Amino acid sequence: MSSEKKIAVFPGSFDPITRGHESIIKRCLPLFDEIIVGIGYNSNKNYFFSQDRREHFIQQTFQGETKIKVNRYSGLTVNFCNEVGAKYILRGLRTSADFEFERAIAQMNRDLAPEIETIFVVSDPALSHISSTIVRDILLYQGNVNKFVPDAVKI
Ligand code: ADP
């Protein structure tokens, strides 16, 4: 039996964090000693919320939960995993389109870093229609997103 700490990274943009993300993280919590929510930076993307606000929303959502950490990173997710000692990448699956997209990334990551395993968690059916993209669209037109985001996301 290894006494090594089981650390997973849940990477994403979290622009903003949604109840879908929150659910995946909470469901995976019993499986790991630590889950690091990795806010990836992609220079080709325009973000709706600043990095500071995205990070703050996640920290507030999991306030008091000592097994959850929030980190920003840029560059390859597998490099970030190695830096923080994580052997697992967590991803959520909502649809078959998610699966096709995620499969290619997971297989590429496995080629790059075979020691890191990607774990897929199938979305709660009540949350599978929620995406950060649609939440941002609703916000753009001043709609109410309270049902789709954690209470900590105060806009
Ligand atoms: P990215 O910018 O990499 O697409 P996101 O922040 O949109 O990242 O999402 C991060 C992860 O959360 C992805 O694995 C995505 O499939 C998953 N996810 C997003 N929304 C949901 C949801 N409603 N239910 C389950 N998983 C979700």
Side-chain angles (χ1 to χ4, degrees):
M1 275 268 279
S2 151
S3 59
E4 202 178 275
K5 217 172 155 190
K6 270 201 166 59
I7 304 174
V9 165
F10 185 48
S13 308
F14 306 104
D15 190 22
I17 183 169
T18 67
R19 290 197 191 275
H21 298 129
E22 182 188 19
S23 159
I24 297 287
I25 295 166
K26 285 188 169 163
R27 285 169 59 197
C28 290
L29 213 47
L31 304 175
F32 299 99
D33 298 310
E34 188 173 307
I35 294 180
I36 300 173
V37 183
I39 308 175
Y41 177 73
N42 179 341
S43 57
N44 295 320
K45 269 195 183 176
N46 286 319
Y47 296 101
F48 191 92
F49 291 102
S50 67
Q51 279 218 321
D52 278 348
R53 287 194 82 195
R54 282 181 279 144
E55 186 174 349
H56 181 72
F57 291 151
I58 303 169
Q59 260 155 0
Q60 291 289 305
T61 301
F62 299 111
Q63 210 177 18
E65 181 47 79
T66 52
K67 283 167 73 177
I68 300 175
K69 305 269 184 297
V70 189
N71 268 195
R72 303 173 186 193
Y73 74 97
S74 56
L76 293 176
T77 302
V78 288
N79 290 350
F80 175 62
C81 288
N82 282 325
E83 275 166 34
V84 297
K87 292 274 193 290
Y88 305 92
I89 295 174
L90 296 176
R91 296 294 283 177
L93 291 181
R94 289 161 290 188
T95 60
S96 53
D98 265 359
F99 172 74
E100 280 308 323
F101 178 75
E102 297 290 344
R103 181 181 58 83
I105 295 173
Q107 288 174 334
M108 192 56 82
N109 280 337
R110 190 163 155 74
D111 247 2
L112 293 170
E115 70 283 6
I116 298 172
E117 202 65 76
T118 299
I119 313 273
F120 292 119
V121 179
V122 175
S123 167
D124 179 327
L127 303 173
S128 62
H129 61 300
I130 302 175
S131 72
S132 296
T133 309
I134 299 177
V135 166
R136 290 196 299 274
D137 280 346
I138 297 170
L139 288 174
L140 209 54
Y141 299 106
Q142 285 83 44
N144 186 334
V145 296
N146 290 351
K147 267 166 50 184
F148 313 121
V149 296
D151 293 342
V153 181
K154 299 269 183 297
I155 293 136

